[in-house]
Amino acid sequence: MSTTNFLLPAGFEALEPFVKFWAVAGATARAQRRNDCSEQERAAFYDTAKELLAPALAYLDRKPLNKFDEKEKRLMNMLLSLAHVVQAVEVLAQDEEKHAEARRHMKITRATADLNS
Amino acid sequence: MTMQPTTYQLPSNEDVAGLGTTPIPAGPYYRDDYFELEREAIFRRTWIQIGHVCELPEPGSFIVRPIEVANASILITRGKDEKVRAFHNVCTHRGTHLVAEESGNRASFTCRYHSWTFGYDGALRSAPDFERFYVDKSDCGLRPVAVDVCAGLIFVNLDKSPAQGLGEFLGPIAEQLETLSISRATTFAEYVYEIDANWKLTFDNFQEHYHLRFIHPRTGAGARGPDNPFAYPVKFDFYGPHRTESVWSNPAADRLPIQQFALGRLAQIAAADVSRNSSHAKDVFFLFPSLFIQGTPVLPFVHSVMPISATRSRGVVRLYWIGEDDNATESFAREYSMAMARDVHAEDRVVIEAGQRGLNSGALEFIHFQSQEVLCRHLFHAVDTMVQAHRAGRGAAGVVA
């Protein structure tokens, strides 16, 4: 696989399998991804992304948010999805599915990350 | 120098017993007739928070907000003179709602019905074929609504002649609020919810910690400690119809890995900016009638509970931040903080609705508040004082003994 086929910046290849599902724009869509995934899917994403979170943010912090290229935007959106999934994996654990029904009524109408581009 | 106690000390029952110990009547939490009294005695004549000045960043900026309890829609503008004004969003020709958008920037506002056009100062600027009317333009300005700002928060009062200005209404709390980081906020994240519950029952949930270990066993775990298993506050204070609590910080809170990373980053950002320091950073403010303000610059949120009917309300939660997201790390930390707060409030919403369903049955004549639920008791007393004064025809007009 040539590097031109990669969807994320170099160094974050381990996250490539998660791009399609988790790299979505908009906080509402990211919160919905948390609802739509299985326990195994979110655990796999969390386990992989956890170790790469700090280096990925350090990489992205080198650029202003509105200067990201497409690969960097995908990486940022994935990390923002992780911000929601963290709650499911670290905090709610086995209560996550029951909690999803309660969350359905809490409509996100604005997120600061959505104002960056 | 006063040393911070290393172990939790419960506020004594005697400290709050002055507010009474008797049961509270259940009717005011579900009855339509009581709600109608609240509508007139409180919501048509009390200062209600409706937005933040960061939503009006420049001349021509405007926002439109509903106040369902008063069947009102309010247009708030910032003029070329920088002044913030509020009006009923009602064309003075035949009453059409003037502005349909929730926010924007305009030099003037034109009614879609017959093209009457108003300035940001509310004056009628032009109206087609106006010489055929039997009224002066100077009598056709938008109907003004009293408006004022404290700590960046915009308040309106639907009384044509409010008995108190905002400063008098807030009293000593106004100065405390001005020290909070929300007073300098320039942006915010927001989530909203509708709930089948009375506005007081809803707001009361956020005025007591007694439920925390049962309703938030996971999302609230870090707030509890061995010597404070209920995460009770360390102090309550009362200011007329308003009240505050000082929250307890668990020194041994066991943070989870990424949670620690995100909250740690927000704490670093807050610590690096001395302007965000406030001696009230550990205080929570409960402004009458139903505005919750959390002082900490790490998670600075404002939660408004707006009544819709006796048994339906809408909650608006905003996390107010200074500056747009500066970089990826800040974006991540802010997104996480919103997800975290939203999870807690989602749990609250479910159990509040369950409480309302029980009350609606009429099975209970009274509900009970323990000493650590004293803020709920205080809200009921503030409400009922105004309602009874209004009922007696004396027009309480914001005065609470």
Side-chain angles (χ1 to χ4, degrees):
Chain A
M1 190 176 182
S2 111
T3 56
T4 55
N5 292 330
F6 285 132
L7 297 169
L8 298 172
F12 303 102
E13 291 79 5
L15 289 170
E16 290 282 338
F18 302 99
V19 167
K20 187 175 178 185
F21 188 79
W22 294 106
V24 292
T28 301
R30 292 189 285 271
Q32 188 59 42
R33 284 288 195 263
R34 172 184 170 189
N35 286 1
D36 293 343
C37 68
S38 69
E39 184 179 354
Q40 292 73 22
E41 286 169 330
R42 61 178 171 264
F45 177 46
Y46 175 87
D47 288 344
T48 304
K50 181 174 64 172
E51 302 305 324
L52 290 167
L53 174 64
L57 289 174
Y59 176 87
L60 293 173
D61 280 350
R62 298 181 310 175
K63 262 193 185 181
L65 291 159
N66 60 0
K67 301 291 185 192
F68 285 171
D69 62 25
E70 290 305 310
K71 290 183 177 180
E72 290 160 343
K73 280 183 189 171
R74 285 187 203 105
L75 182 58
M76 184 76 244
N77 281 332
M78 286 184 79
L79 299 181
L80 292 170
S81 288
L82 179 66
H84 294 266
V85 168
V86 167
Q87 280 290 110
V89 176
E90 287 191 351
V91 181
L92 273 303
Q94 64 265 38
D95 289 349
E96 167 66 7
E97 292 197 12
K98 183 177 69 177
H99 195 274
E101 170 57 22
R103 268 193 326 269
R104 190 168 61 81
H105 301 276
M106 317 301 282
K107 315 284 188 196
I108 297 173
T109 45
R110 178 170 147 136
T112 58
D114 296 341
L115 307 173
N116 294 332
S117 51
Chain B
M1 182 178 169
T2 305
M3 295 297 289
Q4 182 84 7
T6 53
T7 56
Y8 175 70
Q9 293 177 335
L10 186 74
S12 74
N13 286 1
E14 290 70 28
D15 287 346
V16 296
L19 287 160
T21 56
T22 56
I24 300 296
Y29 295 84
Y30 68 91
R31 288 177 58 126
D32 289 334
D33 55 350
Y34 197 88
F35 183 73
E36 289 306 317
L37 290 166
E38 290 177 334
R39 191 197 305 273
E40 298 304 323
I42 297 169
F43 293 100
R44 287 193 193 279
R45 63 183 67 209
T46 296
W47 291 94
I48 299 169
Q49 191 261 338
I50 200 170
H52 190 282
V53 290
C54 70
E55 297 172 88
L56 304 170
E58 55 195 8
S61 297
F62 71 89
I63 55 174
V64 173
R65 291 292 142 75
I67 302 181
E68 286 101 328
V69 65
N71 294 320
S73 172
I74 308 298
L75 168 66
I76 302 172
T77 68
R78 183 185 289 282
K80 285 180 184 167
D81 56 1
E82 295 289 339
K83 188 173 178 184
V84 174
R85 297 177 174 86
F87 307 96
H88 284 281
N89 180 30
V90 176
C91 177
T92 53
H93 175 210
R94 281 164 55 186
T96 311
H97 268 183
L98 181 61
V99 184
E101 296 90 337
E102 290 183 6
S103 63
N105 189 297
R106 285 192 201 167
S108 61
F109 304 95
T110 299
C111 180
R112 61 182 172 162
Y113 203 171
H114 302 94
S115 215
W116 282 34
T117 297
F118 302 85
Y120 56 78
D121 58 355
L124 177 62
R125 284 192 188 165
S126 64
D129 223 8
F130 193 75
E131 59 274 17
R132 299 187 188 282
F133 280 89
Y134 312 97
V135 65
D136 292 332
K137 274 188 185 170
S138 59
D139 293 329
C140 295
L142 296 177
R143 295 297 180 259
V145 173
V147 62
D148 205 350
V149 175
C150 178
L153 300 170
I154 301 170
F155 293 76
V156 295
N157 190 319
L158 294 172
D159 194 331
K160 288 179 181 171
S161 301
Q164 295 176 303
L166 178 63
E168 186 184 355
F169 172 67
L170 294 175
I173 277 189
E175 195 174 331
Q176 298 176 25
L177 293 174
E178 293 285 1
T179 69
L180 304 181
S181 66
I182 60 165
S183 69
R184 291 176 297 286
T186 59
T187 191
F188 60 91
E190 179 187 86
Y191 53 90
V192 301
Y193 63 91
E194 297 221 350
I195 181 168
D196 285 326
N198 179 268
W199 68 275
K200 298 186 299 300
L201 189 76
T202 304
F203 196 68
D204 278 352
N205 178 82
F206 309 106
Q207 297 198 101
E208 54 90 356
H209 298 223
Y210 186 29
H211 72 278
L212 195 144
R213 66 186 294 184
F214 310 110
I215 300 303
H216 311 298
R218 295 178 183 277
T219 57
R224 304 191 301 273
D227 57 345
N228 188 5
F230 291 95
Y232 286 142
V234 295
K235 187 162 74 79
F236 302 114
D237 285 301
F238 303 93
Y239 303 86
H242 318 293
R243 62 216 79 92
T244 65
E245 67 177 23
S246 299
V247 297
W248 177 72
S249 297
N250 180 4
D254 192 13
R255 297 285 185 202
L256 300 157
I258 296 181
Q259 181 184 59
Q260 174 68 43
F261 174 87
L263 296 180
R265 182 64 189 134
L266 291 171
Q268 284 173 7
I269 293 168
D273 178 0
V274 292
S275 76
R276 301 187 198 195
N277 290 344
S278 166
S279 57
H280 299 283
K282 289 191 175 182
D283 291 346
V284 180
F285 299 80
F286 306 90
L287 302 192
F288 187 84
S290 51
L291 185 68
F292 173 111
I293 301 171
Q294 180 157 290
T296 171
V298 178
L299 195 64
F301 75 85
V302 173
H303 184 173
S304 168
V305 177
M306 297 289 278
I308 295 174
S309 74
T311 55
R312 188 160 179 81
S313 306
R314 184 180 63 251
V316 179
V317 180
R318 286 182 170 188
L319 292 90
Y320 281 106
W321 301 108
I322 299 174
E324 302 300 324
D325 293 1
D326 191 43
N327 54 36
T329 299
E330 189 164 53
S331 259
F332 175 83
R334 287 179 175 180
E335 184 100 352
Y336 175 76
S337 69
M338 175 177 67
M340 183 179 75
R342 176 173 174 259
D343 276 10
V344 176
H345 288 140
E347 293 171 339
D348 290 317
R349 185 189 166 281
V350 172
V351 76
I352 296 165
E353 282 197 338
Q356 189 67 53
R357 288 194 295 275
L359 288 174
N360 289 348
S361 72
L364 299 184
E365 293 177 20
F366 297 100
I367 58 177
H368 302 277
F369 293 132
Q370 57 126 316
S371 66
Q372 296 301 306
E373 296 173 301
V374 68
L375 301 185
C376 308
R377 182 182 293 276
H378 182 261
L379 172 61
F380 173 74
H381 285 321
V383 168
D384 201 50
T385 299
M386 288 189 194
V387 164
Q388 299 311 332
H390 177 77
R391 184 182 260 163
R394 289 186 278 118
V399 179
V400 173

